[in-house]
Amino acid sequence: MFANAETKSKQAEYFFKTLKSDKKTYKEMSDKWKISIEEEALKTRAYRCNHGTIYGNNKKTFDLSKMQRDFSREFTGPLKGRKINGWAILYSKFSTREHQTFMQQLKQTVTTDFEYQCNKPIEVCLKGDDRKVTALTDTIYELQQEGNLDVIICIAPGRKGSSPIYEGLKYYLQTECPIPSQVILSETIKKNFKSLRNIMKNVMIQICAKIGDIPWGYKALPLMDEPTMIIGMDVCHRVGKNKKSVLGFVASLDKYVGKYYSSSVSQGEKQEIAFSIEKLFSQAIKELIKENKIAPKR
């Protein structure tokens, strides 16, 4: 972390020295904007915040200041999790082998690598051509009507960046399907046999978060001595026919900073400034109060 800051400081110093070495350009710029540039960065005293600790299952902790690798390897179960009673795995006859590999590794994952209480999933082989998104969406719609699923996992054809249905399937799952879902590509299973164990663990971690459980939390973060809400926002600018921008908004709801309220709103084309922040903040605060019986102080 400090090496990175030091590198950036040296890069900035080099940039300003280079700029000032071209005296004609520098004079034109300084005369026009009525500014002068110091080559050395301004030095000031600052407070170094505590890194905090990641808190996992079985009271296992991971010191963030000593983090050298993916900390998800350190944990073998969720900090807070509930049993998955009903879930379905969808695949096609063209992905039968990948499906069998997936199921074998899934069993290993939920019993050993990321222990999760769950019933045996329903395995659904698609009737139609899995290269058509409707083959999956029609089956998902039928499963929705039964109303007893907590999670849907789809094994979709193709590889990353070139799946014929990935984008359409994800759009349907995010806009039309109220059931938490996960999509994994058949080529990911086929081509990553040796690393599939780690991939499957990450899949279960994502599912844990999507169904509202807490894979891990944080302790001793700065400013968390009182009820505090941590908020993140970003704007995505879409391309193509629908060029509306989308603002994504998340807000933490618990003391472990592991459970979140999330929402999104459409905005004008290439619009960075958000005009719906007060509504998003208000709803997030209501959700935190609902969860904790107290409003955030920070």
Side-chain angles (χ1 to χ4, degrees):
M1 180 178 69
F2 294 104
N4 186 39
E6 186 178 343
T7 300
K8 288 182 178 179
S9 179
K10 287 182 177 178
Q11 287 172 343
E13 187 178 330
Y14 176 76
F15 170 75
F16 291 128
K17 280 185 177 178
T18 305
L19 181 64
K20 292 183 79 171
S21 67
D22 186 345
K23 294 182 180 179
K24 182 182 176 184
T25 303
Y26 177 69
K27 188 175 186 309
E28 287 176 356
M29 184 192 72
S30 57
D31 288 347
K32 181 178 180 181
W33 294 100
K34 308 295 187 222
I35 60 171
S36 61
I37 297 174
E38 293 290 339
E39 291 178 20
E40 292 186 4
L42 175 68
K43 293 182 180 179
T44 184
R45 293 178 65 84
Y47 175 75
R48 180 182 172 189
C49 293
N50 179 26
H51 289 80
T53 303
I54 297 177
Y55 187 62
N57 64 318
N58 300 324
K59 297 183 179 179
K60 194 168 186 179
T61 59
F62 190 86
D63 188 348
L64 280 168
S65 66
K66 299 175 183 177
M67 187 168 67
Q68 298 292 328
R69 62 175 187 167
D70 178 7
F71 61 79
S72 66
R73 298 180 187 181
E74 304 295 321
F75 303 121
T76 57
L79 174 62
K80 287 190 176 182
R82 55 192 169 90
K83 185 177 181 180
I84 300 176
N85 292 306
W87 53 332
I89 317 292
L90 278 61
Y91 67 101
S92 77
K93 60 182 179 181
F94 303 108
S95 303
T96 300
R97 185 174 294 179
E98 288 79 11
H99 163 253
Q100 290 172 347
T101 303
F102 179 89
M103 293 304 297
Q104 289 169 2
Q105 189 56 63
L106 179 64
K107 184 177 180 180
Q108 163 77 20
T109 302
V110 299
T111 56
T112 305
D113 298 331
F114 196 70
E115 298 172 23
Y116 225 110
Q117 292 293 315
C118 56
N119 290 333
K120 186 178 179 181
I122 303 166
E123 299 170 54
V124 182
C125 184
L126 302 175
K127 297 175 183 177
D129 186 349
D130 72 340
R131 291 167 295 184
K132 295 180 180 178
V133 71
T134 51
L136 278 155
T137 56
D138 289 349
T139 305
I140 292 168
Y141 180 78
E142 291 175 9
L143 290 169
Q144 277 183 240
Q145 306 314 304
E146 298 175 14
N148 57 357
L149 290 180
D150 299 316
V151 182
I152 291 175
I153 298 177
C154 300
I155 299 176
R159 61 176 61 88
K160 189 175 181 180
S162 62
S163 171
I165 66 162
Y166 183 82
E167 293 297 333
L169 177 60
K170 289 287 286 185
Y171 182 81
Y172 174 83
L173 290 168
Q174 291 172 6
T175 59
E176 302 293 332
C177 179
I179 303 170
S181 60
Q182 184 72 31
V183 178
I184 185 166
L185 296 171
S186 59
E187 284 294 311
T188 300
I189 300 170
K190 185 178 180 181
K191 298 292 185 182
N192 296 278
F193 186 78
K194 291 184 178 179
S195 59
L196 188 59
R197 186 171 178 175
N198 288 332
I199 291 171
M200 286 301 301
K201 184 176 181 181
N202 286 327
V203 165
M204 285 309 302
I205 289 169
Q206 288 183 57
I207 287 172
C208 173
K210 287 177 178 180
I211 64 176
D213 292 344
I214 304 175
W216 49 71
Y218 297 89
K219 294 180 73 176
L221 287 178
L223 306 175
M224 293 297 289
D225 55 313
E226 293 186 312
T228 301
M229 174 182 281
I230 296 178
I231 290 171
M233 291 179 281
D234 197 10
V235 177
C236 168
H237 302 296
R238 300 186 67 179
V239 295
K241 291 182 181 179
N242 182 4
K243 293 184 179 180
K244 280 192 173 183
S245 298
V246 179
L247 169 71
F249 178 96
V250 295
S252 64
L253 297 176
D254 67 322
K255 66 179 181 180
Y256 296 114
V257 199
K259 192 170 184 178
Y260 284 79
Y261 162 80
S262 65
S263 187
S264 61
V265 290
S266 293
Q267 304 189 151
E269 183 181 347
K270 295 183 180 179
Q271 181 182 321
E272 281 283 345
I273 298 173
F275 295 105
S276 0
I277 288 204
E278 65 278 5
K279 184 178 178 181
L280 293 168
F281 264 73
S282 175
Q283 189 58 43
I285 290 169
K286 287 177 183 176
E287 288 295 323
L288 188 141
I289 294 172
K290 184 179 175 182
E291 189 79 18
N292 302 281
K293 313 301 180 191
I294 189 171
K297 291 191 176 181
R298 296 183 176 133

